[in-house]
């Protein structure tokens, strides 16, 4: 099939890449302790990149027959103009790297996920809401640069929100193999947060500036956004607080190290080659608070006078797995280190007021603990945390030794992160209807 | 389009395999897009997402499957996978999933392109957008737009929906959208303005955007924010006038989303969240008598336009809040069954691989009869927030925040000096209760509404007139 598609573009454009992805995925969604729906996908997706005389076209097709759309794109490219982002395709240096869990592959191919419900013993959680996903994907990249690279992978990820009265907790997990321990631990974490919050008296957090302990769910969301600012596409398009900060400049405290790890095959976005066929490599984005790497494909590298970091995206770079390096605290020391402050376990709706300054606010959801002298003393209604990325990164005091693999609605790419202790964040709140 | 007999064979086969209800949806989204960076074309392409979904209720559970391969073998496989998925769902059901009766359609309809999308070539479309940009003064005094990106997207969405309850609906909806981001710079200060414009129809939608004027107005807003505006000190309780842009966003966030019945029932609890309407029933007052909020899929030219939803139910306007009183929720047939009402046709899916769930279409606050001058005239000391740059709301849709990109002090009924980054944080009841006058100048903004797992960003309009709120807290950052 891919050879048929190549014949549509070969000789008609100067350069091309074709990426074919064949995936089977099962997703079970739960609400109120019941399965609300089970979804089964069988997708065949073709993505193409074409270049001719410096003009570029890139598109995706999830259709049984993409040939017409490809022909139209080939014809249309003549009517475009030389792109400021054009760069010659690189030599393909990528390596094939696969990881397949046979049990997940079989489940995805057979469309059978009922066993997962039984194994995770979700019957024990009559208020659970969430999602469990199993996927098996093969990818093949071919190109005029000589690339011919394949990958086969499985994934197992999900999240659960569990309610106890008006309290709730939520946790997520992600993996490339079926990991019952990781999943049940995440579900247990959600349940214990709800339980703990329900036992504490209600008290609303006071507006003002607080010390804050960020649980792994919220840490993953905020630090993924911080790392995305190192994407050259964000910098060029004006969506990055790093736009005017040079490499080797300090952007955070000594405690902050964030890595991008495409070679880590324990997390679902692992790959040995990027979308241009370039070898991927693990790299440090922020090293002890110092900005070390802009993530590039060949196009953004050319514009910014750099070299590709193996992070293509065809037009703009992309980010693979992220890891926030662990700190020095045991989990049971985190609250003590927090002292007086708040412990936020989850958030959503992070919005930037100003991408270039990095100013944002985010809204907590689920358990929000008020902590005094290292002990949770109350659970609060939802609140809003406001800061800027430079301020957040600069005020990270320490992190936990333990890390969690998080991927969910508000964390699109997998992030391995510890708990994060922040010395200062602005907190505000409005009157709520009383639910926590 | 599709051989419709394939879809009927699919639902017949699903019924034979034990489905109490089956629906098949052919869903095609074909797009052409291009992007410009600082006026230069980055690239462009045609894309295509076409396939068939099968959704069934079997054994008391719901199952969904899709395929992008359009053949009987593949469709039969999807039917079997959907049945299997439904049986997986059924294992944990305490009571079987049910569907409410509904007024189902047998119809074909299409949105007319007054100026057909294919009436001019791609290069002419690029030229139109670039000429519009060329007309914009990107420098205003000491402030300049240091970079700008513009993306153009036209799409044609075609669907054929059949189900075992007798629905047949074939539709064709073309849309045109433009997205842009402006990065303004004044000395060391920088700010963004992001905007989405769009509607259903042909190239007349692009003409109606008046791109040069629209973008120029946003450049001017950046100039106001970066150069002229001064911080507001502390927090103050003042009268506030909000523009249609902010009213549209707010009714989408704090009236539309919480009125989604699946959210009220907890079905989206782990994703898009909950709703205050779980605790507040129909008939309860949430706002002043001036507040009426409607969601209407049938507005011609709108982004969220449809005449039948993705379960084949005939669409109509839904009154969510009527003169300050909570009224109907947005329903699909499953949530309607839970509430003992009829579906009001709010079931929508992004594409063939998306399950239809309860969604908004075009949500707006009904206009009143005040001009902007009349809203302002008796405000002794207040704030006018014209454009926003940041917003968010908690997952129950109760505590919202809007930060002004362009805002002004009002003194003696007149708009005076610009204010920088004014923050309005307010709960939903206060927001709707404090409105004491509503303008007559209804307008709409285009948007992509996010919900679902996997995420289904859907085209919507959000609208409203200017409104006046009495005595609310506003603050500087």
């Amino acid at each position: 099939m891919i050879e048929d598609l190549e014949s549509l573009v070969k000789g008609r454009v100067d350069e091309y890449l074709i990426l074919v992805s064949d995936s089977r995925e099962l997703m079970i969604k739960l609400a109120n302790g019941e399965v609300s729906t089970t979804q089964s996908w069988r997708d065949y997706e073709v993505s193409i990149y074409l270049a001719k005389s410096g003009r570029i076209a890139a598109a995706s097709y999830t259709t049984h027959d993409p040939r017409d759309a490809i022909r139209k794109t080939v014809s249309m490219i003549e009517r475009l103009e030389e792109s400021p982002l054009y760069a010659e395709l690189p030599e393909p240096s990528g390596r094939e790297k696969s990881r397949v869990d046979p049990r997940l592959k079989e489940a995805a191919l057979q469309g059978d996920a009922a066993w997962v419900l039984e194994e995770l013993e979700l019957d024990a959680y009559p208020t659970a809401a969430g999602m469990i996903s199993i996927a098996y994907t093969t990818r093949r990249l071919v190109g005029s640069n000589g690339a011919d690279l394949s990958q086969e992978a499985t994934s197992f990820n999900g999240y659960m929100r569990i309610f106890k009265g008006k309290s709730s907790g939520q946790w997520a997990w992600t993996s490339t193999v079926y990991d019952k321990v990781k999943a049940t631990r995440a579900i247990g974490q959600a349940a214990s947060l709800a339980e703990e919050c329900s036992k504490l008296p209600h008290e609303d957090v006071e507006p003002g500036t607080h010390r804050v302990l960020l649980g792994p769910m919220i840490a993953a969301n905020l630090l993924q956004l911080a790392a995305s600012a190192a994407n050259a596409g964000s910098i060029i398009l004006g969506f990055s607080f790093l736009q005017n900060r040079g490499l080797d400049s300090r952007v955070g405290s000594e405690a902050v190290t964030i890595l991008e790890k495409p070679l880590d095959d324990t997390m679902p976005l692992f790959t040995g080659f990027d979308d241009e066929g370039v070898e991927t490599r693990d790299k440090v984005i922020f090293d002890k608070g110092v900005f070390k790497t802009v993530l590039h494909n060949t196009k953004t590298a050319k514009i910014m006078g750099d070299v590709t970091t193996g992070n293509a995206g065809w037009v703009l770079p992309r980010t693979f797995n992220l890891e926030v390096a662990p700190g020095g605290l045991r989990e049971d020391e985190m609250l003590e280190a927090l002292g007086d402050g708040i412990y936020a376990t989850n958030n959503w709706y992070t919005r930037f007021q100003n991408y270039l300054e990095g100013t944002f606010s985010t809204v907590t959801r689920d358990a929000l603990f008020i902590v005094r002298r290292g002990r949770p003393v109350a659970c609060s209604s939802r609140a809003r945390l406001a800061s800027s990325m430079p301020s957040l990164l600069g005020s990270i005091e320490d992190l936990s030794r333990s890390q969690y693999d998080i991927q969910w609605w508000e964390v699109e790419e997998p992030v391995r992160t510890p708990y994060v202790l922040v010395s200062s964040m602005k907190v505000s709140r409005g009157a709520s209807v009383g639910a926590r | 389009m599709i051989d419709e007999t394939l879809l009927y064979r699919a639902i017949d086969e699903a019924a034979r395999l034990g489905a109490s209800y089956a629906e098949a949806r052919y869903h095609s989204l074909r797009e052409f897009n291009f992007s410009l960076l600082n006026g230069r074309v980055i690239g462009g392409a045609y894309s295509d997402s076409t396939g068939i979904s099968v959704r069934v209720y079997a054994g008391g559970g719901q199952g969904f499957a899709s395929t992008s391969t359009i053949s009987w073998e593949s469709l039969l496989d999807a039917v079997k996978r959907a049945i299997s998925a439904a049986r997986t769902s059924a294992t944990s059901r305490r009571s079987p999933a049910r569907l409410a009766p509904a007024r189902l359609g047998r119809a074909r309809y299409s949105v007319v392109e007054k100026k057909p999308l294919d009436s001019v070539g791609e290069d002419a479309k690029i030229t139109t957008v670039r000429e519009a940009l060329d007309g914009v003064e990107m420098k205003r005094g000491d402030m300049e737009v240091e970079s700008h990106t513009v993306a153009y997207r036209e799409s044609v969405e075609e669907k054929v929906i059949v189900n075992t309850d007798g629905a047949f609906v074939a539709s064709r909806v073309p849309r045109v959208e433009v997205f842009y981001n402006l990065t303004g710079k004044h000395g060391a200060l920088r700010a963004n303005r992001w905007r989405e414009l769009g509607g259903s129809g042909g190239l007349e939608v692009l003409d109606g955007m008046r791109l040069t004027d629209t973008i120029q107005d946003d450049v001017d807003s950046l100039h106001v924010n970066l150069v002229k505006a001064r911080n507001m000190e502390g927090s103050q309780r003042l009268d506030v006038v909000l523009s249609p842009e902010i009213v549209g966003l707010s009714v989408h966030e704090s009236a539309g989303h919480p009125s989604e019945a699946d959210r009220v029932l907890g079905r989206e609890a782990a994703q898009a969240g909950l709703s205050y309407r779980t605790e507040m029933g129909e008939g309860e007052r949430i706002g002043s008598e001036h507040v009426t909020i409607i969601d209407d899929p049938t507005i011609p030219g709108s982004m969220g336009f449809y005449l039948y939803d993705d379960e084949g139910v005939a669409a109509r306007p839904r009154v969510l809040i009527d003169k300050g009183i909570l009224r109907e929720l947005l329903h699909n047939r499953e949530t309607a069954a839970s509430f003992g009402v009829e579906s009001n046709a709010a079931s929508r899916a992004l594409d063939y691989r998306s399950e239809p769930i309860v969604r908004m279409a075009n949500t707006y606050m009904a206009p009143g009869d005040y001009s902007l001058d009349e809203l302002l005239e008796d405000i002794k000391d207040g704030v006018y927030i014209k454009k926003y740059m940041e917003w968010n709301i908690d997952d129950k849709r109760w505590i919202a925040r809007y930060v002004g990109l362009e805002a002004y002090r009002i003194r003696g009924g007149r708009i005076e000096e610009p204010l920088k980054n004014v923050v309005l944080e307010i709960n939903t009841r206060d927001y709707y209760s404090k409105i004491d006058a509503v303008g007559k100048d209804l307008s709409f903004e285009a948007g992509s509404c996010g919900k679902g797992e996997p995420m289904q960003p859907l085209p919507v309009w959000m609208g409203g007139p200017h409104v006046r709120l009495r005595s609310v807290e506003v603050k500087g950052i």
Side-chain angles (χ1 to χ4, degrees), chain B residues 395-474:
Chain B
D395 78 302
K396 274 200 161 185
R397 304 282 164 178
W398 193 251
I399 315 166
R401 169 181 167 112
Y402 305 97
V403 181
L405 172 74
E406 183 179 356
Y408 300 88
R409 195 79 184 213
I410 303 167
R411 287 197 179 85
R414 294 165 56 92
I415 293 174
E416 300 276 342
E417 76 274 15
L419 296 170
K420 196 175 182 74
N421 305 352
V422 169
V423 179
L424 173 65
E425 278 188 3
I426 191 165
N427 77 49
T428 297
R429 188 196 298 279
D430 279 353
Y431 176 65
Y432 290 123
S433 299
K434 299 277 186 178
I435 292 174
D436 82 329
V438 175
K440 56 188 172 187
D441 51 348
L442 174 65
S443 64
F444 291 91
E445 291 282 323
S448 294
C449 171
K451 189 179 173 185
E453 177 67 281
M455 176 60 83
Q456 299 187 46
L458 279 185
V460 296
W461 264 5
M462 303 170 280
H466 278 89
V467 302
R468 182 176 64 208
L469 289 81
R470 292 296 193 188
S471 185
V472 294
E473 187 176 315
V474 286

Side-chain angles (χ1 to χ4, degrees), chain B residues 244-260 292-299 302-306 317-321 330 346 348 359-366 432 442-447 449 459-465:
Chain B
E245 174 180 306
I246 297 164
V247 173
L249 177 68
S250 68
V251 298
H252 177 93
E253 301 291 0
S254 64
H257 274 305
S259 297
E260 294 159 349
T292 292
I293 296 171
I294 297 159
D295 186 76
D296 185 359
T298 67
I299 298 173
S302 62
M303 286 282 281
F305 177 82
Y306 60 87
R318 287 80 61 125
V319 179
L320 310 179
I321 298 175
L330 296 170
R348 297 179 71 188
R359 304 302 298 264
M360 282 175 270
N362 307 298
T363 315
Y364 67 97
M365 184 179 290
Y432 290 123
L442 174 65
S443 64
F444 291 91
E445 291 282 323
C449 171
V460 296
W461 264 5
M462 303 170 280

Side-chain angles (χ1 to χ4, degrees), chain B residues 1-5 7-8 11 24 104-109 159-171 308-309 311-313:
Chain B
M1 282 294 240
I2 177 83
D3 173 3
E4 290 155 8
T5 60
L7 304 180
Y8 281 110
I11 61 172
L104 298 174
R106 295 194 62 79
R108 293 178 190 270
Y109 69 95
K159 292 187 265 191
V160 180
I161 298 158
V162 303
N163 67 36
T164 49
D165 287 350
F168 171 88
V169 177
S171 62
Y308 295 87
D309 77 357
E311 294 180 322
V313 181

Side-chain angles (χ1 to χ4, degrees), chain A residues 133-181:
Chain A
S133 165
I134 289 171
Y136 167 69
T137 304
T138 59
R139 297 163 65 227
R140 184 177 169 204
L141 175 75
V142 299
S144 57
N145 61 348
D148 189 350
L149 296 156
S150 297
Q151 184 191 33
E152 187 180 10
T154 48
S155 66
F156 173 56
N157 64 288
Y159 50 84
M160 285 295 151
R161 189 179 194 188
I162 290 174
F163 295 85
K164 177 79 184 285
K166 288 186 172 181
S167 302
S168 62
Q170 186 158 349
W171 211 279
W173 75 89
T174 188
S175 176
T176 50
V177 296
Y178 178 66
D179 189 335
K180 180 178 174 180
V181 172

